[in-house]
């Protein structure tokens, strides 16, 4: 067991580290003082840091600190989560007065990490939101992205996969402030100042995160150059500190249950529905099953007439997950550390049968260990350094080589009348006895996938190593420092597959006997075979950074210049041009000038190069300017009920060089074997997205905060495919045709937040925050050639949002939108270009009035899959030892077409869902019953196209998270020498309100044949020492 | 560290592409090898015809067949439900989307021709003859790619030079069909004008070697001309004003046929063994052509790599490993196969709109109660019908042979040996003679035959064999049966099964019993007295287990391959028939021996000529050759095709209309499933009569036989006039509308 050995190794290291720390911790106390809140209670974890940052201390549980200023700073900044920053002149520091921190009602305290540098929140000129790791930890999820949902206004996530064991790089689509280009829209991810591949940060546990910030406007992202256009997610991990060491041990037990379970249609009902479909197809009333057969299915007492609930047979109701971990942090003036070990065991979602003679267990589950060690060392007064080592090892097991969602999707292809899962023992016919049963058209029966396909083991390793030196150049001028760093991140995936194949059999038509199985297609039982595969790549970043930070009375300056070089190399099976190293280079400068802590002016510029473009167009400059004014600090500002008024504005350029997976967009690619691939366009340049942001923060009555940001992003040199203009007959495949630089698009919207924050007493406080984001985009030009005038809508892209849905409008003028009689069908005079409508089928609107329903009648409907609006409400209450909080999150203006399983009834050998149970029949229509679906069909009909019946509104409102926690009283703690014990109950996804037409498809996942989101009940225990 | 980092940054700031093997056109044509590679890539656009429309052949999209996946979403379902538009054309959804695909091929050819003819680019040293050979092939290819486009889309823009990426499209227009055919024929003529080289391995040639499979020959160029001219003269493309009259087409198709005949092309007529294929026609379609034409002299060009995989994609449910029943031949196609005895068409048409009431041809000898008897041999080669055996041989036969000769112990017989033959003459009553001993034990087997070939002057009615053991009594155990040997003046095979006797009495058991088996021998009693003279050779005992009778394909209701109309049963035929052409019955999971589709073959050239000739000069008038071949009439050309399969010749003196019926019937039958019928019904403009739906044959088991009832399958709706020509993809049309202001769309789409 490699993992176990690894855990042991790490545990020993941590213990060793703790012992060392004890040695370090015996520094000399200079003075002792106290930091308290407005009610006089001591505050733990307050950071006191000198102006130049070389001397710092963190207060202990009793609020005391111990700080000696040696770096010549003139003041000390005192800050703590939930409190306003306080600046104290050094000479006033060591008086034995209590430092009193004010509650941060309007969220203007603390600082925000902007990737390469951090700024006080007060001085922010742009649009940034952030959240602390402690808040993210309320969500018992395996994937970091999932804990971010609803916590960071402006960041919208859409989960496309709910599978639990695949954590690591789950398929979560993210965008910051919507979509501003038709090309790559993935935000840049920065971990501790290092550019990270977008997917490979998911393994980081919430316990090791200090904060996550989202940078949204040009002032915050321009310095990132060609990678900044889609916004930036900045993850900052925890650091050690000068203060009393802290050890946290925690354990979680989660119970996971899918929030939707498909409806079981029993055999008799299934048979009737198939007959109903056959009848509507004109095949007569009993074309698929006879009444006698249906009766036998219904009676259920004959094994020849099974009634199999495949879902219950293979899918577990409740899945278990455990998480345990330990972390330790602390340090001295010279050495600071944070170490963390986190282990998650994720149980399997399927029920596996214990087969005789099987020499392996295929249970598909996963576990992951992640570790982190952040160390900061001060070598002398001028030189300090850091080293951060983090990583994860994930071991995953798969049944056969199928991903769990593939197995899950196959469940829906099996109908309840199918015999199985295994054929019976048939005398004298060993080759068809106890073999996996399937039906015509289904090649992958679930039983075989789970139990007879062998297994695969996958080891995924992520390692991030960062090291750097910082030199305080105060000998030149006070406040100047330079640093250099190197960061290396690798991802390695090794898989070993031990696979076998298995015989499938199908049952004959005669249901009265049980020996009429025949082999299906070519498969046979085979012995296990072994194979290996691996993927490897690394990111190498080199950084140099220069920083100047100084206050001169009322004036403050904060400037940084940084440059980095990024190299990514991939190594994988085979060789193609995707394994060529990816290289980028960037140089950025940010400078902030502040006056009287109320006027702020910031300038940013990025200068970066991309391999995508010809040397003449390779480098691009991305400048931005921004300013902020805190009017409420002005002397003339006399309105008592307004406790904060801040105005912000920014404008700048950000850039993007990504265009799918294409590389070297300026080069032709002809190979020596005579094949011709991409043709390059040497005139291409990176697309520039111009961003404007106007914001206001308004604080009222020291209780309410109103925030409003308006933003507008514009691009007029968007990289677009030639496929919109170039005809195919010129002979170069359009995917290889040179791309162009002349698309135009806009994306605009606003963010609104309203919060309430109040401490009623030292023992009772409450907060609530509502936020709403809207981002609407519109493609103005991609050189689209319009369709002819015969089309109701000649343009399909220009003038619409990216991903606009198109479909047929149903003519509801008769009430139900269906042809209710043969006369009605005949009288309509309509012909469809996609089949012949039957009585009971949808009647579509003939938008161009040519009596033919075809693509010319398609109309825009709904929105795109990516939500245009997102809102959340989070609120909480702290009372004595109790904590209570919740997060409601919802999206609006998101839609897609439902198709396939759950929507179309003809799939496989009939797949029925709740909507099909009351389909159109003449009887139901005559009886005036509620009809939920057009006439059923055995095969694709004119109903099965994108139309406004299948258009699903993917809006939802979810109770994402609910937490109730209790902190044990001191009397209990003393007995076990603990500083704090916290017991928490977290519930994820307790309920969801949606507008789906079917009850069995989650609006966020949007498909029936994949895992639906999980509701998670989690009990967590935290011990602090 | 900082300094080091900055230094490193500076030195690594190279964002240029590292060498990854990219080349420019100039690089390519600098070297012989890369130039040849580029030339080779020009052939990459030759289609791999076969089951390339979502694992079904083009036959499923016309009146030749109905695919069994008709109720499952996909290309077939779209087509059968008329779910076809300018933005969703099932015919372009297969492995090839013809519009971009062939234009890519044309661009490749154009780029090659422009580069190789430009001395500034083509700087490699290449033998002039070889280079001209390449050029000949590439010009012919360009013509071929154009032919593929125009037979689907009608006239298309003619491009003879590669467009630059900044090309202005606004002046482009679709050429007429006629102009495109001009271009095609000019290209072929230009290629054919390249003199044949004296070196047999390079140049644009008639003859290539087997390892040059896929290369273009002169015959290919003639075949392209033949088809292009025929199409151009057809009603769909010639409304009367085109220069491609039937007379012009006759001239071109005759020259193509003559040139091929003069250069050794010949219909494939090798009669295979009975356990390989039923006849030469059946054998031809499972035979892998040899480009050197040492065996197959008919094939002009065959798909290079895509086997049809009929066994898998259009197999019977009793074939192990079958995926689906696929393209089930339609009743209309089955009706088209003539009667071998009379040469007549059995069905002359249908008296009802649903094709359920066939108009029987009383002269034909067709019996609706036994519809599969006495049909054109091509029927048996192309279609699995009810009760046809699934295989030609049904398994391996283990045979053990024990050669025998006659000994010297005789009674009233004289034995005279001459080489391998022995002549026995009886000289008195009860004549008999001992054979030599077996020398080893008879092996297990359900049959033990005494066999020989003989000539006999009289019929013998009561011969007998006795089993004897050396050392035992002279008589042994008799067979107990009076065996009849007919009089025969030619060598005749005689066989007699000893099994019954052995099971009755045991082999070689005699009064003493128990002797070693190798000492067994026979006594042959001629037993009819004197005056008989019989000459025998190849005298032996054969021990073997005969193969079980081949499993019949039972398409009747309840049979092992029964017809089904249930959408979920995709492994059962919809029509009552399964496809057999191209299918080697030996093909299966581990061995794929199915044939490859032909792109051009001599048979088509005969038919092309016949069509043009009967249209221009009538069916009986001879057309003289301009290139030294023989004079031939349309009827004679058709009869060449028919005589290969032993079908009686068409009668002389048929009217044009009567001949047209017979000709179209012949073309339908001969070229079935070969991607011709789909286009033929279009260019003849009979689509609306042929392609509304197909019918099948539902067979039920009656008391002592079968009863047959025709069934109509679902209306397809893909026979309206717009279906005569493919739609051009809507996005292409929109782009060209924007550039040129005129619509490029075909009518009706």
């Amino acid at each position: 067991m490699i993992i176990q050995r690894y855990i042991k190794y790490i545990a020993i290291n941590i213990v060793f580290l703790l012992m060392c720390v004890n040695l370090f911790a015996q520094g000399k106390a200079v003075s002792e003082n106290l930091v308290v809140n407005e009610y006089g209670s001591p505050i733990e974890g307050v950071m006191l840091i000198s102006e130049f940052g070389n001397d710092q201390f963190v207060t202990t549980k009793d609020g005391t600190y111990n700080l000696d200023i040696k770096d010549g700073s003139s003041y000390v900044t005192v800050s703590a989560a939930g409190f306003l920053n306080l600046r104290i002149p050094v000479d006033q520091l060591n008086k034995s007065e209590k430092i009193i921190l004010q509650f941060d009602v309007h969220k203007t305290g603390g600082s925000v990490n902007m990737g390469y540098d951090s700024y006080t929140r007060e001085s922010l000129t742009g649009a940034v939101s952030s959240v602390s790791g402690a808040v993210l930890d309320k969500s018992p999820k395996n994937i970091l992205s999932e804990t971010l949902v609803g916590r960071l206004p402006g960041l919208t996530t859409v989960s496309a996969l709910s599978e639990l064991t695949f954590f690591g790089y789950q398929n979560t689509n993210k965008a910051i402030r919507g979509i501003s280009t038709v090309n790559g829209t993935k935000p840049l991810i920065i971990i501790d100042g290092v550019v990270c591949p977008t997917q490979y940060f998911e393994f980081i546990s919430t316990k090791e995160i200090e904060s996550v910030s989202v940078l949204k406007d040009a002032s915050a992202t321009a310095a990132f150059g060609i990678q900044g256009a889609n916004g930036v997610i900045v993850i900052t991990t925890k650091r050690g500190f000068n203060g009393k060491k802290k050890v946290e041990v925690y354990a979680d037990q989660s119970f996971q249950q899918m929030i939707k379970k498909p409806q079981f249609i029993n055999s008799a009902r299934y048979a009737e529905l198939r007959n109903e479909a056959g009848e509507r197809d004109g095949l007569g009333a009993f074309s698929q099953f006879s009444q006698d057969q249906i009766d036998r299915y219904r009676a259920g007492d004959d094994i020849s007439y099974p009634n199999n609930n495949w879902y219950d047979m293979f899918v577990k109701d409740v899945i278990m997950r455990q998480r345990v971990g330990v972390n330790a942090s602390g340090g001295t003036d010279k050495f600071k550390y944070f170490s963390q070990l986190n282990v998650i065991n994720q149980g399997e979602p399927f029920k596996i049968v214990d087969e005789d003679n099987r020499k392996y267990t295929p249970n598909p589950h996963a576990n992951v260990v992640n570790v982190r060690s952040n160390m900061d060392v001060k070598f002398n007064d001028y030189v300090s350094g850091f080293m951060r080592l983090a990583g994860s090892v994930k071991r995953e097991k798969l049944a056969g080589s199928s991903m769990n969602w593939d197995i899950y999707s196959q469940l829906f292809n099996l109908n309840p009348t199918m015999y199985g899962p295994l054929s019976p023992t048939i005398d004298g016919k060993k080759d068809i006895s106890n073999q996996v049963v399937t039906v015509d058209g289904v090649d992958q029966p679930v039983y075989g996938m789970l139990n007879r396909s062998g297994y695969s083991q996958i080891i995924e390793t992520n390692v991030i190593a960062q090291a750097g030196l910082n030199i305080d150049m105060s000998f030149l001028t006070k406040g100047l420092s330079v640093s250099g760093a190197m960061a290396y991140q690798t991802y390695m995936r090794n898989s070993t597959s031990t696979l076998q194949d298995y015989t499938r059999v199908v049952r004959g038509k005669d249901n009265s006997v049980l020996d009429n199985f025949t082999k299906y297609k070519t498969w046979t039982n085979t012995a296990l075979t072994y194979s290996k595969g691996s993927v490897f790549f690394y990111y190498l970043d080199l950084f140099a950074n220069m920083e100047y930070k100084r206050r001169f009375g009322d004036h403050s300056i904060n400037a940084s210049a940084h440059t980095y070089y990024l190299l990514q190399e991939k190594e994988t099976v085979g060789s193609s041009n995707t394994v060529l190293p990816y290289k980028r280079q960037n140089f950025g400068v940010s400078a902030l000038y502040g006056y009287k802590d109320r006027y702020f002016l910031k300038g940013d510029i990025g200068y970066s190069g991309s391999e995508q473009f010809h040397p003449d167009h390779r480098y691009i400059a991305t400048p931005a300017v921004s300013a902020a004014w805190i009017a409420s600090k002005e002397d003339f500002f006399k309105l008592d009920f307004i406790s904060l008024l801040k105005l912000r504005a920014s404008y700048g350029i950000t850039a993007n060089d990504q265009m799918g997976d294409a590389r070297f967009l300026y080069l032709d690619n002809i190979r020596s074997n005579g094949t011709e691939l991409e043709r390059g366009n040497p005139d291409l340049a990176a697309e520039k997205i111009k961003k404007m942001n106007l914001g206001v923060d308004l604080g009222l009555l020291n209780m309410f905060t109103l925030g409003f940001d308006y933003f507008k992003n514009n691009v007029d040199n968007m990289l677009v495919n030639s496929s919109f203009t170039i005809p195919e007959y010129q002979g170069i495949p359009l995917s290889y045709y040179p791309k162009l630089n002349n698309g135009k698009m806009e994306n605009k919207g606003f963010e609104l937040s309203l919060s309430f924050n109040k401490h009623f007493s030292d023992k009772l406080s409450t907060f609530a925050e509502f936020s709403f984001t809207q981002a609407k985009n519109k493609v103005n030009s991609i050189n689209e050639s319009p369709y002819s005038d015969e089309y109701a809508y000649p343009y399909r892209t220009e003038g619409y949002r990216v991903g606009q849905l198109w479909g047929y409008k149903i003519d509801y003028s008769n009430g139900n939108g269906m042809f209710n009689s043969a006369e009605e069908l005949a009288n309509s005079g309509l012909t469809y270009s996609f089949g012949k409508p039957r009585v009971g089928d949808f009647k579509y609107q003939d938008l161009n009035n040519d009596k033919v329903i075809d693509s010319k009648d398609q109309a825009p409907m709904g929105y795109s899959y990516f939500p245009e609006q997102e809102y959340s409400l989070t609120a909480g209450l702290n009372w004595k030892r109790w904590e209570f909080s919740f997060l409601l999150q919802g999206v609006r203006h998101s839609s897609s077409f439902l198709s396939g399983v759950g929507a179309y009834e003809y799939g496989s050998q009939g797949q029925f869902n709740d909507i099909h149970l009351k389909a159109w029949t003449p009887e139901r229509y005559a009886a005036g019953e509620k009809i939920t679906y057009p006439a059923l069909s055995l095969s694709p009909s004119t109903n099965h196209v994108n139309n406004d019946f299948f258009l699903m509104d993917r809006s939802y409102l979810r109770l994402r998270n609910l937490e109730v926690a209790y902190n044990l009283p001191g009397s209990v703690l003393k007995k076990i020498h603990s500083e704090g014990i916290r017991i928490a109950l977290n519930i994820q996804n307790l309920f969801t309100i949606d507008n789906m037409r079917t009850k069995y498809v989650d609006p966020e996942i949007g498909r029936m044949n994949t895992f639906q989101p999980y509701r998670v009940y989690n009990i967590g225990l935290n011990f602090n020492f | 560290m900082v300094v080091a980092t900055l230094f490193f940054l500076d030195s690594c700031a190279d964002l240029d592409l590292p060498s990854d093997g990219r080349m420019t056109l100039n690089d390519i044509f600098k070297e012989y090898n890369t130039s040849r590679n580029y030339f080779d890539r020009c052939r990459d656009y030759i289609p791999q015809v076969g089951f390339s429309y979502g694992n079904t052949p083009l036959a499923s999209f016309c009146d030749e067949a109905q695919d069994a996946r008709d109720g499952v979403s996909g290309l077939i379902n779209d087509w059968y439900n008329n779910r076809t538009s300018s933005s969703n054309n099932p015919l372009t959804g297969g492995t090839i989307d013809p519009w971009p695909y062939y234009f890519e091929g044309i661009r490749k050819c154009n780029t090659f021709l422009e580069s190789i003819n430009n001395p500034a680019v083509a700087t490699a040293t290449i033998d002039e003859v070889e280079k001209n050979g390449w050029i000949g092939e590439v010009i012919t290819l360009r013509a071929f790619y154009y032919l593929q486009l125009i037979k689907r889309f009608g006239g298309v823009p003619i491009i003879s030079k590669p467009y630059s990426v900044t090309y202005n499209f606004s002046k482009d227009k679709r050429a007429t069909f006629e102009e495109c055919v001009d271009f095609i024929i000019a290209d072929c003529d230009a290629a054919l004008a390249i003199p044949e080289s004296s070196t047999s391995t390079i140049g644009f040639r008639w003859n290539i070697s087997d390892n040059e499979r896929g290369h273009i020959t002169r015959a290919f160029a003639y075949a392209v001309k033949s088809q292009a001219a025929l199409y151009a003269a057809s009603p769909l493309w010639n409304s009367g004003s085109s220069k491609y009259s039937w007379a012009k087409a006759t001239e071109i198709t005759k020259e193509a046929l003559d040139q091929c005949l003069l250069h050794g092309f010949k219909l494939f007529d090798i009669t295979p063994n009975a356990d390989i294929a039923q006849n030469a026609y059946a054998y031809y379609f499972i035979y892998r052509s040899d480009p050197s034409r040492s065996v197959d002299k008919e094939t002009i060009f065959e798909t290079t790599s895509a086997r049809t995989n009929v066994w898998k994609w259009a197999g019977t449910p009793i074939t192990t490993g079958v995926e689906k029943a696929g393209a089930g031949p339609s009743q209309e196609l089955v009706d088209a196969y003539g009667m071998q005895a009379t040469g007549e068409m059995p069905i002359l048409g249908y008296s009802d709109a649903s094709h359920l009431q066939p108009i029987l041809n009383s002269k034909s000898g067709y019996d609706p109660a036994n519809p599969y008897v006495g049909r054109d041999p091509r029927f048996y080669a192309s279609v699995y019908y009810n009760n046809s055996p699934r295989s030609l041989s049904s398994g391996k036969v283990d045979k053990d042979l024990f050669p025998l000769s006659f000994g010297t112990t005789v009674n009233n017989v004289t034995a005279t040996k001459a080489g391998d033959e022995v002549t026995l003459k009886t000289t008195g009553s009860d004549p008999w003679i001992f054979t030599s001993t077996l020398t080893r034990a008879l092996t297990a087997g359900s049959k033990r035959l005494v066999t020989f070939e003989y000539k006999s002057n009289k019929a013998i009615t009561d011969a007998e064999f006795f089993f004897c053991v050396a050392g035992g009594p002279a008589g042994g155990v008799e067979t107990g049966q009076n065996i009849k040997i007919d009089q025969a003046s030619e060598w005749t095979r005689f066989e007699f099964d000893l099994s019954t006797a052995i099971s009755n009495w045991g082999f070689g058991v005699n009064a003493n019993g128990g002797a070693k088996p190798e000492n067994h021998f026979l006594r042959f009693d001629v037993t009819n007295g004197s005056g008989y003279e019989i000459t025998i050779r190849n005298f032996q005992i054969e021990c073997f287990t005969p193969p079980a009778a081949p499993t019949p394909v039972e398409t009747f209701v309840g049979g092992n391959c029964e017809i089904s109309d249930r959408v979920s049963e995709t492994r059962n035929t919809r029509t009552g028939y399964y496809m057999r052409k191209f299918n080697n019955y030996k093909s299966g999971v581990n061995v794929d021996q199915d044939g490859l589709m032909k792109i051009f073959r001599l048979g088509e050239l005969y038919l092309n000529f016949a069509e043009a000739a009967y249209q221009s000069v009538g069916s009986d008038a001879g057309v003289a050759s301009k290139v030294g071949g023989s004079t031939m009439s349309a009827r004679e050309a058709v009869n060449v095709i028919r005589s290969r399969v032993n079908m009686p010749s068409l009668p002389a003196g048929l009217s044009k209309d009567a001949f047209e019926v017979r000709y179209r019937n012949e073309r339908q039958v001969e070229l079935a499933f070969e991607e011709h019928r789909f286009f033929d019904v279009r260019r003849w403009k009979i689509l609306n009569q042929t392609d509304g739906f197909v019918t099948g044959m539902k067979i039920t088991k009656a008391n002592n036989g079968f009863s047959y009832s025709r069934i109509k399958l679902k209306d397809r709706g893909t026979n309206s006039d717009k279906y005569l020509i493919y739609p051009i993809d809507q996005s292409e049309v929109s782009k060209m509308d924007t550039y040129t202001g005129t619509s490029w769309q075909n009518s009706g789409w």
Side-chain angles (χ1 to χ4, degrees), chain A residues 146-187:
Chain A
E146 291 204 337
T147 67
L148 303 179
V149 179
R151 303 282 188 194
L152 290 159
L155 171 71
T156 304
T157 63
V158 179
S159 171
L161 207 60
S162 290
E163 216 271 310
L164 292 166
T165 62
F166 190 59
F167 59 85
Y169 47 118
Q170 179 180 4
N171 194 355
T172 305
N173 297 308
K174 289 180 277 291
I176 293 172
R177 284 186 165 176
I179 289 164
S180 297
T181 164
V182 295
N183 298 308
T185 56
K186 283 180 183 158

Side-chain angles (χ1 to χ4, degrees), chain B residues 404-411 413-417 422 424 432-437 521-524 539:
Chain B
L404 294 174
S405 58
F406 289 105
T408 50
T409 313
V410 296
N411 185 46
V413 172
T414 60
T416 318
K417 290 190 186 178
V422 177
L424 305 177
W432 55 260
I433 181 167
F434 281 168
T435 68
S436 54
T437 57
F521 57 90
L522 290 178
R523 194 183 89 178
F524 176 37
F539 187 24

Side-chain angles (χ1 to χ4, degrees), chain A residues 357-644:
Chain A
N357 303 326
R358 189 173 61 201
K359 300 203 170 60
Y360 59 88
T361 51
N363 305 37
H365 67 283
N367 47 48
V368 67
V369 176
N370 69 359
V371 293
R372 170 171 292 275
S373 194
N374 287 349
M375 286 174 283
D376 296 276
V377 183
K378 198 162 145 187
F379 298 108
N380 60 35
D381 284 350
Y382 297 104
V383 182
S384 58
F386 67 86
M387 197 164 109
R388 296 190 272 270
L389 188 65
S392 73
V393 178
K394 175 187 166 203
R395 197 182 65 158
E396 187 181 2
K397 195 165 193 179
L398 302 178
S401 56
S402 306
M403 303 311 292
N404 284 344
W405 59 82
D406 289 332
I407 299 176
Y408 188 89
S409 72
Q410 289 295 331
L411 281 166
F412 299 89
N413 290 334
L414 309 176
N415 67 65
T417 62
M418 186 181 106
Y419 189 86
L422 294 177
S423 60
T425 305
I426 301 162
D427 288 340
K429 290 181 176 169
K430 206 160 165 267
D431 59 332
I432 55 166
S433 296
N434 300 310
Q435 304 298 343
V436 181
V437 180
T438 187
V439 289
D440 198 334
V442 178
D443 291 353
Q444 301 293 338
V446 176
Y447 184 91
M449 295 177 91
L450 280 174
N451 294 297
R452 294 192 178 179
S453 300
Y455 64 99
S456 302
Q457 301 225 59
I458 295 157
I459 305 271
E460 261 179 34
T461 314
N462 282 288
V463 175
I464 299 179
Q466 305 173 354
L469 279 184
N470 182 59
I471 300 170
D472 184 349
M473 309 282 273
S474 55
F475 50 83
L476 289 178
T477 177
K478 291 264 182 211
L480 181 69
S481 65
V482 293
S483 58
M486 179 177 141
Y488 182 74
Q489 175 166 6
T490 65
Y491 169 80
M492 191 154 54
R493 178 188 163 92
N494 280 308
S495 57
T496 60
S497 300
T498 311
L499 304 179
Q500 61 182 166
D501 217 330
Y502 54 95
T503 300
R504 282 84 152 156
V505 294
V506 287
R507 195 174 174 199
K509 243 170 128 177
D510 184 358
N511 270 28
S512 63
V513 292
L514 264 179
D515 59 355
N516 55 343
F517 288 90
T518 51
K519 279 197 177 183
Y520 182 64
K521 295 197 180 172
T522 52
W523 296 285
T524 51
N525 292 319
T526 59
L528 290 168
T529 55
Y530 180 81
S531 63
K532 288 178 80 164
S534 68
V535 177
F536 171 82
F537 69 76
Y538 72 85
Y539 254 61
L540 178 65
D541 298 66
L542 297 173
F543 293 91
N545 206 55
M546 185 185 289
E547 202 175 285
Y548 181 62
K549 227 178 217 177
R550 188 91 194 259
R551 286 186 76 88
F552 305 94
D554 284 341
H555 307 270
S556 66
I557 291 171
N558 191 350
S560 71
H562 58 265
T563 176
Y564 71 89
Y565 169 78
L566 174 62
L567 175 76
Q568 181 195 10
E569 262 186 79
K570 277 188 178 173
E571 192 179 306
T572 180
V573 182
S575 64
S576 65
N577 61 355
T578 59
V579 304
L580 285 170
Y582 292 73
K583 292 185 216 162
R584 284 197 187 90
Q585 204 176 14
N586 187 46
F587 177 71
V589 178
S590 298
L592 173 75
Y593 167 72
Y595 177 65
K596 286 190 168 179
D597 289 330
R598 67 186 71 150
Y599 304 102
F600 298 98
L601 185 65
K602 188 165 179 261
D604 297 88
I605 187 163
Y607 186 69
S608 47
S610 167
E611 57 174 23
Q612 295 280 36
F613 310 111
H614 188 271
D616 293 350
H617 308 284
R618 185 166 289 164
Y619 286 87
I620 184 169
T622 49
V625 290
S626 54
W629 176 39
I630 305 179
S632 54
K633 283 195 179 182
E634 296 288 356
D635 298 337
F636 60 79
F637 201 87
K638 300 284 187 220
L639 297 164
D640 281 348
F641 68 95
I642 295 183
S643 38
L644 171 71

Side-chain angles (χ1 to χ4, degrees), chain B residues 640-683:
Chain B
V640 172
I641 298 286
R642 286 169 71 85
S643 73
R644 180 221 331 239
V645 292
N646 295 321
M647 283 295 286
S649 295
L650 294 183
L654 290 175
S655 69
K656 187 177 163 190
D657 287 348
F659 190 83
E660 178 165 284
V661 170
R662 299 302 302 264
Y663 168 78
R664 288 185 175 177
N665 171 263
E666 189 65 27
R667 193 168 168 103
Q668 181 181 11
V669 164
E670 172 70 17
L671 300 177
F673 304 120
E674 292 184 66
E675 297 204 351
H676 282 286
R677 178 75 179 169
F678 178 90
F679 296 105
D680 287 342
V681 296
R682 284 169 168 71
R683 64 187 178 84

